[in-house]
Amino acid sequence: MRKKKRLIAILIGLLLSLIPLAILFKNKWEAPSPVIITPIHLKEDPNGLPALARRQIGVTVGYTADYVDLEYPGGDVPMESGVCTDVIIRALRLKGLDLQELLHEDIKHNFRRYPGRKLWRQRAADPSIDHRRVPNLEIFFNRIGWSVTEHPTDNPDDYKPGDLVTCFDAAHGRPHIMIVSDRKHEQTGVPKVIHNSGKGTEENDDLFEFPITGHFRPVFGKPIQYPEPEKKKKK
């Protein structure tokens, strides 16, 4: 009887000693839990440019680069579509700045300062399309003093919510423009961007997807200061 009890005790002890090993092997062979990456939200300003641009997400769901004869001022293509510049145009209008009118006034008096003749064989300013072209916006933002730096960096800390960033989208072979978000990638700390690169307005991690060509910071609350109009050369 005693031998039987002793044998039972030994078996129980062996079983108990195997429990930690079972747990160890279970943890070893179980698939790791997926890492969920969520954006870091800074203090979001409901009236800031990122929040205003974010209103277009889920509304502007397509990308159409067709020329459209627009009303002037305040003209816009159908809200469900557009190009990258339309994201910026629509957001800035909610801040009281109409790029269509502002840019047209400058190009009208300073046509030679812009690449319309060289790139698109224009003979005069066109309020239906000039403000929807990234090269024109880069020149205009420089002319009114919005440029942050002549040589954009790859330092995430240099990009603030509401900044405008231009690049050359090599994947599609065209210049591109984005709005820096007030949200950041949780792991890298790189600011997200709000833009339309072909799928409609979206917010993602494309800030450094392509080399940056321009970095601009809009100024609100005071009139736009145009440079002096260029003087026509005497014949």
Side-chain angles (χ1 to χ4, degrees):
M1 188 69 179
R2 289 181 181 179
K3 290 182 177 180
K4 187 176 181 180
K5 287 183 179 179
R6 185 178 299 175
L7 182 60
I8 292 172
I10 291 172
L11 290 174
I12 292 172
L14 286 172
L15 289 173
L16 290 175
S17 66
L18 291 174
I19 290 175
L21 290 174
I23 295 173
L24 177 65
F25 280 100
K26 178 178 181 292
N27 291 337
K28 181 178 180 181
W29 294 109
E30 273 187 347
S33 301
V35 177
I36 300 174
I37 299 173
T38 55
I40 297 173
H41 291 200
L42 304 179
K43 186 177 181 181
E44 296 183 14
D45 178 3
N47 296 313
L49 205 60
L52 298 176
R54 202 172 283 122
R55 296 182 186 180
Q56 301 174 42
I57 298 175
V59 178
T60 304
V61 293
Y63 185 101
T64 305
D66 297 340
Y67 178 95
V68 179
D69 189 12
L70 301 180
E71 295 182 3
Y72 178 82
D76 195 5
V77 298
M79 190 67 182
E80 62 270 15
S81 189
V83 292
C84 62
T85 50
D86 292 313
V87 178
I88 283 75
I89 293 164
R90 290 164 179 161
L92 284 176
R93 276 180 173 155
L94 295 176
K95 295 290 289 184
L97 296 177
D98 186 353
L99 281 180
Q100 183 190 27
E101 185 174 10
L102 292 169
L103 200 72
H104 180 63
E105 286 300 312
D106 196 44
I107 293 183
K108 186 170 62 175
H109 295 102
N110 303 279
F111 186 68
R112 295 180 183 178
R113 298 281 184 183
Y114 290 86
R117 181 180 297 176
K118 181 179 179 181
L119 294 182
W120 307 291
R121 298 181 180 179
Q122 285 181 240
R123 295 185 177 181
D126 184 346
S128 288
I129 192 63
D130 287 336
H131 62 301
R132 301 183 67 216
R133 286 172 164 162
V134 174
N136 285 340
L137 292 182
E138 288 179 312
I139 292 173
F140 179 68
F141 294 156
N142 272 306
R143 284 174 57 77
I144 63 175
W146 284 10
S147 180
V148 174
T149 176
E150 186 178 350
H151 303 289
T153 74
D154 57 1
N155 182 356
D157 295 335
D158 291 338
Y159 297 87
K160 308 303 179 184
D163 283 1
L164 305 176
V165 174
T166 57
C167 64
F168 186 78
D169 182 350
H172 297 95
R174 63 196 178 206
H176 187 59
I177 189 167
M178 311 172 282
I179 296 176
V180 177
S181 174
D182 48 11
R183 299 174 180 178
K184 294 184 177 183
H185 191 284
E186 187 178 68
Q187 291 187 338
T188 65
V190 175
K192 292 180 172 290
V193 288
I194 302 170
H195 62 141
N196 184 350
S197 62
K199 303 176 183 177
T201 304
E202 57 184 351
E203 186 169 15
N204 58 25
D205 300 303
D206 284 354
L207 178 58
F208 297 126
E209 181 70 15
F210 299 107
I212 292 174
T213 57
H215 181 189
F216 311 95
R217 188 162 294 152
V219 177
F220 304 110
K222 63 180 183 179
I224 297 293
Q225 296 293 324
Y226 291 102
E228 290 295 324
E230 64 180 15
K231 295 181 180 179
K232 293 183 179 180
K233 294 181 179 180
K234 295 181 180 180
K235 294 183 180 180

